[in-house]
Amino acid sequence: MKTLRSLIVVLLALIWFLPTYLIVVNAFTPNDAYTGDVRWFPGGVAIFENMAAAWEAAQLGPSMLNSFAYAVVAGCLAVLVAAFAGFAVTAIPGGRRIFWFWLIYAGSLFPAQAFLRPLFTGYAESGLYDTRMGLLLIYVATCIPFSFFIMRNHMLTIPPEVAEAAQLDGANWWRVFTRFYLRLSRSALAAAFIFQFVWVWNELLFGITLSYSEQIRPVMAALAGLQSNYGTVGPPVVLAGALLVSLPTVVVFLAFQRVFASSLGGTRI
C-alpha cells in the first residue's frame, strides 16, 4: 500500500511538472529555428537571447518595477489590516466572532468576474482607471480576506492569558496588540505577506482590465501584451518572457518556504 501511494505521488508530480518542462525546453529553442511543433528536448541554448527579446518587446523593466511596488505596498497594508481584524475577533471580548470571520473571509470566496463590470464602471467614473492608486486599492481589498484567515488562525493559538496578564499590568488593547500579539505573530505576518506578494505579482485580470498604459500596468499585463504579438516575436520568446517574470516569485517562495510550513500548518476554522 505504501509503495502504491508513493507511485501515485510520483506520477502526479510528473504530470504537474510536465507543462513547466515543456515551457523550459521550448524557451531554449532559437526563435528562427522554431517550426511550430512542440519540442520535447532542447533544440539549442538561446534562452538568454529570447529573454532579452521579450524584455525589449514587452518593456518588462518598468512593468516589473510596477508589480514590485504593488506587491510590496498592497501586501504590507493588507496584512496590517488583517492583523487588526484577526486581533479583534480573537482577543477582544465580544459576540458573533464566527459571523465576523465569515463576513471578512467571504471576500475570497466570490470570483472576481462577478464584480468586474461594476468595478470597471466605478473606476472609469471616479478617475481611478489606469492609476497606481486604483490598482493598489483593489489589490489591498482583494488580499485582506485570505490574510485575515491566516492571522486569525494564528492568533487563536496565542493563549488568552497573554492579554489578561498585560491588562492586569495596565496595558490597553492597543498596547496588547502592538507589544504582544504582533511580536508573537511575526512568522504569520511574514507568511501572509509573502503569499500576497506572490499573488499580486502573478495577478492578471485586474491588471489588464483596470490599466492600459506602460507606466501603470503590472508585469503580467505586459506579458499578456507580448502574447498578443505572438506572430511577431515567436513562441520561444513568449515562453522565455514567462520564465523571466516568474523568477522573482520562485526565489521568494524557495527562500521563505519554511515560514509557510510553520505558519500555515495549524490553520483551522
Side-chain angles (χ1 to χ4, degrees), residues 45-65:
V45 288
I47 187 169
F48 295 109
E49 291 84 350
N50 292 335
M51 285 184 175
W55 181 278
E56 183 67 24
Q59 297 294 312
L60 293 180
S63 61
M64 290 182 74
L65 290 177

Side-chain angles (χ1 to χ4, degrees), residues 122-135 137 210 216:
Y123 265 51
E125 294 177 352
S126 62
L128 290 173
Y129 180 74
D130 197 39
T131 63
R132 291 187 175 90
M133 180 58 66
L135 284 176
L137 286 175
L210 303 178
I216 304 298

Side-chain angles (χ1 to χ4, degrees), residues 27 50-51 54-55 60 223 226 235-246:
N50 292 335
M51 285 184 175
W55 181 278
L60 293 180
L223 187 62
L226 179 64
V237 174
V238 176
L239 296 176
L243 289 176
L244 179 62
V245 301
S246 300

Side-chain angles (χ1 to χ4, degrees), residues 30-261:
N31 195 40
D32 54 359
Y34 189 78
T35 62
D37 297 326
V38 177
R39 290 181 177 267
W40 289 90
F41 301 99
V45 288
I47 187 169
F48 295 109
E49 291 84 350
N50 292 335
M51 285 184 175
W55 181 278
E56 183 67 24
Q59 297 294 312
L60 293 180
S63 61
M64 290 182 74
L65 290 177
N66 289 337
S67 283
F68 183 80
Y70 296 146
V72 171
V73 176
C76 289
L77 291 177
V79 171
L80 181 60
V81 173
F84 276 114
F87 176 74
V89 300
T90 56
I92 299 178
R96 300 184 178 180
R97 293 187 175 185
I98 297 299
F99 168 78
W100 290 112
F101 165 76
W102 283 111
L103 180 65
I104 299 175
Y105 182 62
S108 64
L109 302 180
F110 297 100
Q113 293 83 353
F115 52 86
L116 194 59
R117 180 178 180 132
L119 182 66
F120 175 82
T121 304
Y123 265 51
E125 294 177 352
S126 62
L128 290 173
Y129 180 74
D130 197 39
T131 63
R132 291 187 175 90
M133 180 58 66
L135 284 176
L136 278 176
L137 286 175
I138 191 61
Y139 286 151
V140 171
T142 308
C143 289
I144 286 175
F146 190 75
S147 298
F148 166 73
F149 176 78
I150 297 175
M151 297 308 305
R152 178 257 189 187
N153 282 296
H154 176 78
M155 289 181 178
L156 282 176
T157 65
I158 299 177
E161 289 79 12
V162 173
E164 295 172 1
Q167 288 183 303
L168 288 176
D169 291 336
N172 56 23
W173 286 116
W174 173 255
R175 184 176 292 271
V176 172
F177 174 70
T178 56
R179 297 291 299 273
F180 297 95
Y181 272 70
L182 278 185
R183 293 187 178 183
L184 293 172
S185 303
R186 284 178 293 185
S187 61
L189 289 167
F193 169 76
I194 295 166
F195 192 95
Q196 301 309 330
F197 178 95
V198 173
W199 183 87
V200 173
W201 184 276
N202 291 329
E203 198 281 323
L204 173 63
L205 182 62
F206 294 124
I208 62 176
T209 305
L210 303 178
S211 68
Y212 67 89
S213 61
E214 295 181 356
Q215 297 79 13
I216 304 298
R217 66 182 182 179
V219 66
M220 290 303 165
L223 187 62
L226 179 64
Q227 291 177 327
S228 67
N229 297 324
Y230 190 90
T232 303
V233 298
V237 174
V238 176
L239 296 176
L243 289 176
L244 179 62
V245 301
S246 300
L247 289 179
T249 56
V250 173
V251 171
V252 167
F253 180 78
L254 292 178
F256 296 97
Q257 57 180 330
R258 291 186 178 180
V259 177
F260 278 100

Side-chain angles (χ1 to χ4, degrees), residues 4-65:
L4 179 60
R5 185 165 55 246
S6 299
L7 290 175
I8 293 175
V9 170
V10 171
L11 179 61
L12 291 176
L14 290 175
I15 294 174
W16 186 270
F17 178 72
L18 182 60
T20 303
Y21 171 78
L22 291 175
I23 291 175
V24 173
V25 168
N26 287 271
F28 271 86
T29 304
N31 195 40
D32 54 359
Y34 189 78
T35 62
D37 297 326
V38 177
R39 290 181 177 267
W40 289 90
F41 301 99
V45 288
I47 187 169
F48 295 109
E49 291 84 350
N50 292 335
M51 285 184 175
W55 181 278
E56 183 67 24
Q59 297 294 312
L60 293 180
S63 61
M64 290 182 74
L65 290 177

